[in-house]
Amino acid sequence: MTTPISEQNKTSPVAFADLGAWNLYFLLKLYLFYSGSIGFHFLENIAFLLFLIAPFRHKFLYQIRQVIVIPVGIALLYYDSRLPSFEKTLGQLMNLADFDVSYLMELLMRFVNFKLIAMLVVVVFSYTYLKNWIKFTSITVGLFMYFIILQYYPTESETAPKIANANNMPVTKNSQTYNNPDEQLSQFYQKESQRNVDFNGVELNQPFELLFLHVCSLSWDDLKETGLDNHVLFDKFDVMFQQFNSATSYSGPAAIRMLRASCGQKPHSQLYSAADSQCYLFNNLAKLGFGHKLLMNHDGKFANFEKNVRQDGGWNVPNDLSVTTPLIQKSFDGSPIYSDRYLFDQWLSNIGSTPNATLYNTVSLHDGNKIIGNQSRLNSLESFHPRLLSLLNDINYLFEKIEQSGKKVMVVFVPEHGAGLKGDNLQLPGMREFPSHNVTHVPVGVRLFGATKRQAQTLNVNSPSSYLAISQLVEQVVEKNMFGEPTATLAEIVNTLPETDFVSENDSATVIQYKGTYQMKIDKEDWIEYGNDN
């Protein structure tokens, strides 16, 4: 509460009010801003500070101010927090009604920051003890001026380009320079709108089965966090994309982007509008003679995922899930999650003489899942490692079974997005509101079973890549007759795959690689540096 003028020195020609307890509010926000946990809208915060210390001598005006400032302070903190818009947050809160109670409690505990609470207790006690000797309002105003100077007149070290860890930053051949991130983003989408993979004139001379393993919630960062990045499965791929960008951190948009892989990357706002027919993998694979199947280890109802696949992605076939499939987990909304291994066996046994392209989607790694059985007491973060190990073992089992069968199969392993297992300074573990590099940098691998000439070692694609490269790889495997009498080596095909600069996007946030750093824009806010601490 601000201290009324009547209790201050009336001899002062301009008797500004003391901030009182509001000092704690501003000092905490400045600390969070300094640590990168929140944004800070200087103009709005200065206006609020001036309103708090304005010399209202009339008692009625002072009381009115005391009523107004609390909701204004809360709203301003929310505005600075980089949380989704209030309307979007309200919509997400409506979804909480579908969540399991145990998952709601788990999410609540993630929001509890014991370090911040401890610091807040220390600050409150220090303020209470020292406020009679120290003018905290002067300190708060001084810090405001300091941060304003830094904001508009940065030091030389802050204006120098910041280079992210070279091991995590993709190397691109694009040497063009841009004046600002907005210009780069605009040019990116203009270039992408002109790119596509042409399947016309390509013939399927040697039929083979095509399987897309679309895995929810797995990034390179998650693999390293669990120590499973050295799992034996990753040594069995013929091609590994080391810098693949899923371009989004949510399942529905990821499925649409993957199923429209034959055209360049579109803005998020265009995903739910019809695309050109040549963009849809369904259309292009049908031209080659592939039938289509959809198999998911879940019901596909949450967030209209199956609708996204069938209507927006153009993969319009029903889920071929058998009701006899055993359950292995329960989802965060209580719906059943079925055994991947059982479904792999089902898929393999149904391979016939006519080639099919199957989209297999698994949510076995989704946040909030509960393992059925001995590990049911683990929360979803604790159970991520055993769930991931089980999934990788199941896919390895599938690889062994395909090899034993002698069938000709092309497997494309492509995660939708990461789990955000580690979290960062803007997002709690398991949260994916912002499509950071850690979340959208996913491990993508391709294996050709029964190909005429197999690579002795895995070919690593180290250039920035996305879905267009998958589409072209499929087209080239068919055109170069890799399962018959090949007219090119796999290495030659891989060397011609298209690059795609790093741009990831959700409905309210965009992250790009700009001048050696990752930059994020939320709605119409300014760009901020984000995700460069890898």
Side-chain angles (χ1 to χ4, degrees):
M1 305 285 274
T2 56
T3 306
I5 299 301
S6 58
E7 298 177 13
Q8 298 180 40
N9 183 7
K10 295 183 180 180
T11 62
S12 173
V14 181
F16 287 103
D18 187 85
L19 281 173
W22 285 100
N23 279 297
L24 295 174
Y25 172 85
F26 285 112
L27 291 173
L28 178 62
K29 282 178 67 173
L30 287 170
Y31 167 77
L32 292 174
F33 170 64
Y34 178 77
S35 66
S37 299
I38 66 170
F40 199 84
H41 298 82
F42 281 95
L43 182 61
E44 291 86 344
N45 278 277
I46 290 171
F48 185 48
L49 183 145
L50 292 175
F51 180 68
L52 285 167
I53 64 175
F56 291 168
R57 295 186 179 276
H58 197 288
K59 187 175 181 180
F60 175 74
L61 292 177
Y62 171 78
Q63 291 174 337
I64 290 293
R65 175 171 62 186
Q66 296 302 90
V67 173
I68 292 174
V69 291
I70 293 176
V72 171
I74 293 172
L76 186 56
L77 177 59
Y78 188 89
Y79 182 46
D80 286 332
S81 70
R82 298 190 183 124
L83 288 170
S85 66
F86 184 71
E87 294 81 6
K88 185 174 181 183
T89 300
L90 246 159
Q92 291 177 335
L93 288 174
M94 298 292 288
N95 289 331
L96 294 180
D98 297 326
F99 287 10
D100 184 81
V101 174
S102 62
Y103 183 47
L104 288 173
M105 292 302 298
E106 181 183 343
L107 290 177
L108 183 63
M109 290 306 297
R110 291 184 202 174
F111 277 95
V112 178
N113 186 327
F114 291 103
K115 182 179 178 182
L116 184 60
I117 291 173
M119 187 198 72
L120 188 60
V121 169
V122 170
V123 170
V124 170
F125 273 94
S126 300
Y127 171 79
T128 304
Y129 180 75
L130 297 172
K131 66 180 181 179
N132 294 324
W133 290 278
I134 299 175
K135 291 186 177 294
F136 278 95
T137 299
S138 300
I139 294 175
T140 301
V141 173
L143 285 173
F144 257 89
M145 299 304 297
Y146 172 75
F147 278 108
I148 289 171
I149 291 171
L150 286 183
Q151 182 79 1
Y152 295 101
Y153 301 97
T155 61
E156 183 178 344
S157 62
E158 289 174 323
T159 56
K162 298 179 181 179
I163 306 300
N165 189 326
N167 294 324
N168 294 288
M169 186 69 70
V171 178
T172 177
K173 297 175 184 175
N174 183 9
S175 60
Q176 186 173 352
T177 58
Y178 302 93
N179 295 319
N180 54 65
D182 286 310
E183 180 184 333
Q184 178 174 314
L185 184 63
S186 175
Q187 289 296 315
F188 169 81
Y189 282 127
Q190 183 178 350
K191 181 184 73 173
E192 289 298 301
S193 67
Q194 300 168 4
R195 299 211 294 173
N196 69 280
V197 177
D198 187 5
F199 281 74
N200 291 320
V202 179
E203 294 183 3
L204 183 63
N205 295 314
Q206 175 60 61
F208 62 92
E209 202 73 10
L210 182 55
L211 176 63
F212 295 97
L213 295 176
H214 209 207
V215 177
C216 177
S217 302
L218 182 63
S219 67
W220 282 112
D221 197 60
D222 300 324
L223 282 171
K224 291 172 184 175
E225 185 69 10
T226 57
L228 290 173
D229 51 328
N230 60 354
H231 192 279
V232 63
L233 173 68
F234 297 107
D235 294 327
K236 296 186 176 183
F237 287 104
D238 295 318
V239 181
M240 279 298 300
F241 291 85
Q242 298 293 334
Q243 297 293 345
F244 192 95
N245 176 30
S246 69
T248 181
S249 58
Y250 282 111
S251 299
I256 296 170
R257 290 190 181 281
M258 217 277 287
L259 296 175
R260 297 182 181 183
S262 299
C263 286
Q265 187 171 323
K266 296 288 193 295
H268 179 88
S269 59
Q270 296 180 18
L271 292 183
Y272 299 94
S273 302
D276 192 288
S277 61
Q278 67 177 343
C279 298
Y280 295 96
L281 268 178
F282 183 99
N283 293 345
N284 292 321
L285 294 174
K287 291 176 185 177
L288 300 178
F290 285 96
H292 294 81
K293 290 185 178 181
L294 173 63
L295 187 57
M296 304 187 293
N297 76 334
H298 56 101
D299 60 20
K301 293 179 181 178
F302 187 79
N304 296 314
F305 180 79
E306 187 172 351
K307 174 180 175 290
N308 291 152
V309 170
R310 298 180 64 177
Q311 182 175 310
D312 302 309
W315 202 275
N316 195 17
V317 287
N319 184 7
D320 197 22
L321 177 67
S322 169
V323 293
T324 61
T325 308
L327 272 62
I328 56 167
Q329 299 175 28
K330 280 193 174 181
S331 178
F332 59 88
D333 62 353
S335 61
I337 298 174
Y338 300 96
S339 166
D340 291 296
R341 183 171 295 209
Y342 185 94
L343 292 172
F344 290 155
D345 281 331
Q346 174 189 318
W347 170 82
L348 193 58
S349 66
N350 289 334
I351 294 179
S353 57
T354 304
N356 282 296
T358 301
L359 175 66
Y360 179 82
N361 183 267
T362 174
V363 295
S364 297
L365 303 180
H366 198 287
D367 193 52
N369 288 1
K370 280 284 187 182
I371 299 175
I372 296 174
N374 296 332
Q375 297 174 309
S376 60
R377 291 189 177 183
L378 299 177
N379 67 41
S380 61
L381 291 179
E382 294 168 339
S383 72
F384 187 87
H385 182 282
R387 287 187 287 131
L388 174 57
L389 180 60
S390 177
L391 178 62
L392 295 178
N393 287 342
D394 286 349
I395 297 174
N396 188 56
Y397 164 85
L398 171 66
F399 277 25
E400 291 174 350
K401 286 294 184 180
I402 295 174
E403 198 150 30
Q404 291 169 12
S405 73
K407 297 182 185 297
K408 297 180 183 295
V409 180
M410 178 177 184
V411 177
V412 181
F413 173 87
V414 51
E416 301 171 354
H417 51 72
L421 194 63
K422 190 168 60 176
D424 55 43
N425 62 334
L426 293 186
Q427 297 192 109
L428 296 170
M431 300 294 101
R432 295 174 278 106
E433 184 63 31
F434 303 137
S436 69
H437 175 258
N438 284 354
V439 173
T440 68
H441 176 211
V442 297
V444 172
V446 177
R447 174 67 188 271
L448 305 182
F449 291 94
T452 305
K453 294 180 180 178
R454 183 161 183 255
Q455 291 290 134
Q457 292 182 328
T458 301
L459 297 170
N460 288 308
V461 181
N462 295 310
S463 55
S465 309
S466 199
Y467 301 103
L468 195 70
I470 290 179
S471 180
Q472 182 162 314
L473 181 56
V474 172
E475 185 272 338
Q476 285 289 289
V477 165
V478 175
E479 182 180 346
K480 304 302 183 185
N481 200 20
M482 300 302 292
F483 288 93
E485 296 181 5
T487 59
T489 64
L490 190 56
E492 290 170 340
I493 292 174
V494 167
N495 287 335
T496 64
L497 294 180
E499 291 187 7
T500 300
D501 294 337
F502 185 92
V503 173
S504 291
E505 192 178 12
N506 287 341
D507 59 349
S508 61
T510 302
V511 179
I512 69 172
Q513 181 194 345
Y514 177 73
K515 293 186 177 180
T517 65
Y518 293 105
Q519 300 286 328
M520 179 170 71
K521 186 171 189 174
I522 304 172
D523 293 324
K524 296 182 180 179
E525 296 288 318
D526 292 334
W527 290 91
I528 60 169
E529 188 173 317
Y530 179 44
N532 301 308
D533 54 347
N534 297 319

